[in-house]
């Protein structure tokens, strides 16, 4: 700021350094190639004045100068700060922040898109500021398909954290390879003699759920086993009556509830019933059990999403990647009863 409280401009910096405003602009935008030669002592003098004054370039001016303001937007379809979801989303955000710092970008969290009348958040509304950023990262278990279609139609650079189906065109994303992880778990259960398996969960309402269920059915088919799909509210009695010996549970909290119900019934986990979890908890739950399952590469997904967004900004395209999940041996998968 100047003595009068006015924001410093490039013209002020140029006057203090004894150079032209054009030279200040070139230094700020790190131009110094064969086409634009700036003497090292001149560059150092400008940088010294910038440091001494604490001058910060106006974002709009920087955008006009190099076409980028080096700000990446983050739009979340669910609140990420409440206690019940903080632990689930934190690794994604940590990965995003880590990579943004590595490539020299700032992050802008869009919070003005309020949900109205119980509806989900949407990027585009009368207060939308998505174009303030060079590009946007989308975070949420499910996303608004109208948002995706409009982002694609208007050519707004973005990457989804999580696999997404096409929305009038291929959606750029980095997701977790749930089908492969679930198939691998089913294969382990079949190898231990389990022939009657059950998937407990919605299996719909988002690509991640659909991918888990698809992996289950593929694994069951490959192993020649009997698999059935039950809703999350299915009572333990239904599983017992069907002769199920291994249960694959979509939601971690439902996994804990099922194990508790089995204990109350006098069943021992995993001797009488093997229980496998298909991801991290998304709602608060207390559990001391080391469930067999897999780890979602959440931090890695956030980090890679920023890298892919940088690629989209640099050369366009719609990159799509799935990252492997790490299987967790746990203690809740055992040979089928009688084996």
């Amino acid at each position: 700021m100047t003595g009068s409280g006015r924001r410093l401009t490039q013209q002020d910096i140029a006057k203090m350094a004894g150079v032209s405003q054009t030279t200040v602009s070139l230094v700020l935008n790190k131009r110094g190639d064969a086409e634009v030669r700036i003497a090292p002592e001149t560059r150092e003098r400008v940088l010294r004045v910038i440091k001494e004054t604490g001058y910060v370039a106006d974002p709009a001016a920087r955008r006009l100068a190099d076409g980028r303001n080096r700000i990446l937007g983050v739009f979340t379809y669910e609140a990420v700060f409440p206690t019940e979801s903080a632990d689930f989303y934190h690794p994604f955000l940590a990965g995003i922040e880590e990579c943004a710092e590595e490539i020299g970008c700032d992050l802008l969290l869009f919070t003005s898109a309020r949900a109205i009348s119980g509806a989900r958040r949407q990027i585009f509304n009368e207060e939308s500021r998505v174009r303030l950023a060079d590009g946007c990262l989308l975070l949420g278990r499910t996303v608004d398909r109208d948002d995706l279609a409009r982002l694609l139609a208007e050519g707004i650079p973005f990457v989804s954290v999580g696999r997404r189906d096409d929305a009038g065109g291929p959606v750029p994303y980095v997701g977790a390879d749930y089908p492969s992880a679930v198939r691998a778990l089913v294969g382990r259960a079949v190898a231990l003699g389990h022939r009657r398996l059950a998937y407990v969960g919605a299996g719909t309402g988002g690509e991640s759920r659909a991918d888990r269920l698809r992996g289950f059915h593929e694994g069951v088919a490959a192993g020649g086993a009997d698999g059935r799909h039950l809703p999350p509210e299915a009572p333990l009695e239904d599983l017992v009556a069907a002769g199920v010996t291994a249960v694959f549970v979509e939601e971690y909290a439902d996994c804990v509830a099922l194990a508790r119900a089995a204990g109350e019934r006098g069943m021992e986990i995993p001797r009488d019933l093997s229980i496998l979890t298909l991801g991290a908890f998304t709602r608060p739950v207390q559990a001391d059990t080391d469930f067999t399952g897999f780890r979602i590469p959440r931090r890695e997904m956030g980090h890679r999403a920023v890298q892919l967004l940088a690629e989209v900004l640099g050369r366009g395209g719609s990159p799509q990647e799935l990252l492997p999940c790490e299987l967790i041996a746990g203690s809740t998968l055992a040979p089928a009863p009688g084996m």
Side-chain angles (χ1 to χ4, degrees):
M1 301 292 286
T2 64
S4 61
R6 177 176 61 83
R7 180 190 181 95
L8 282 170
T9 66
Q10 288 188 19
Q11 190 171 5
D12 294 323
I13 299 299
K15 185 177 180 180
M16 295 176 193
V19 299
S20 68
Q21 182 178 341
T22 299
T23 299
V24 174
S25 178
L26 293 173
V27 171
L28 285 169
N29 290 290
K30 300 180 181 179
R31 293 290 300 280
D33 51 29
E35 298 178 0
V36 184
R37 295 185 181 278
I38 301 175
E41 59 270 25
T42 300
R43 181 183 299 276
E44 289 301 319
R45 188 163 68 251
V46 172
L47 291 174
R48 185 169 60 254
V49 172
I50 289 173
K51 181 178 180 180
E52 291 173 352
T53 60
Y55 171 79
V56 177
D58 177 72
R62 289 294 299 276
R63 188 184 315 194
L64 290 173
D66 61 11
R68 294 279 183 265
N69 60 15
R70 306 195 70 78
I71 294 178
L72 304 180
V74 179
F75 184 89
T76 64
Y77 282 89
E78 292 99 23
V80 297
F81 295 117
T83 302
E84 61 268 21
S85 62
D87 288 337
F88 180 74
Y89 284 109
H90 177 264
F92 291 113
L93 296 172
I96 289 172
E97 180 185 35
E98 179 181 69
C99 190
E101 182 178 0
E102 290 175 3
I103 65 175
C105 286
D106 290 312
L107 296 173
L108 174 62
L109 180 64
F110 294 112
T111 58
S112 63
R114 297 184 298 273
I116 301 175
S117 301
R120 290 179 52 78
R121 290 178 174 178
Q122 289 184 306
I123 293 176
F124 297 100
N125 56 62
E126 60 184 14
E127 297 180 351
S128 177
R129 300 183 178 90
V130 68
R131 291 178 179 82
L132 288 175
D134 295 329
C136 190
L137 299 163
L138 307 184
L139 185 61
R141 300 194 70 184
T142 59
V143 301
D144 187 272
R145 294 193 60 76
D146 290 338
D147 279 350
L148 293 178
R150 186 169 173 182
L151 287 167
L152 290 171
E154 297 188 10
I156 297 175
F158 75 98
V159 169
S160 169
V161 181
R163 188 191 72 78
R164 304 301 171 197
D165 294 327
D166 288 359
V171 174
Y173 66 73
V174 56
D177 190 358
Y178 294 120
S180 294
V182 178
R183 284 197 303 269
L185 287 177
V186 171
R188 291 189 177 188
V190 171
L192 290 172
H194 294 277
R195 290 295 178 268
R196 293 191 176 183
L197 318 177
Y199 180 102
V200 174
T204 59
E207 288 85 348
S208 65
R209 290 172 174 156
D211 286 351
R212 287 173 169 90
L213 181 58
R214 175 163 58 87
F216 173 77
H217 286 312
E218 291 173 352
V220 166
D226 173 30
R228 59 195 63 209
H229 176 204
L230 298 174
E233 64 274 10
L236 175 63
E237 287 71 18
D238 289 357
L239 296 171
V240 174
V244 171
T245 59
V247 188
F248 297 76
V249 188
E250 186 179 274
E251 289 284 349
Y252 189 90
D254 294 334
C255 198
V256 174
L258 181 62
R260 185 176 297 118
E264 293 172 351
R265 187 187 174 95
M267 300 175 68
E268 183 177 330
I269 306 297
R271 185 196 64 188
D272 302 317
L273 181 68
S274 289
I275 301 178
L276 300 89
T277 182
L278 304 182
F281 59 85
T282 58
R283 56 184 191 267
V285 62
Q286 292 185 342
D288 297 326
T289 305
D290 180 21
F291 287 102
T292 299
F294 57 77
R295 183 186 71 85
I296 303 171
R298 291 176 289 173
R299 189 183 191 106
E300 295 90 333
M301 288 168 64
H303 191 282
R304 184 58 180 152
V306 175
Q307 291 178 326
L308 291 185
L309 182 55
E311 293 180 14
V312 171
L313 289 168
R315 56 176 179 264
S318 298
Q320 298 179 335
E321 292 186 9
L322 293 179
L323 304 185
C325 298
E326 177 188 357
L327 297 187
I328 299 174
S331 62
T332 56
L333 173 63
M339 293 297 293

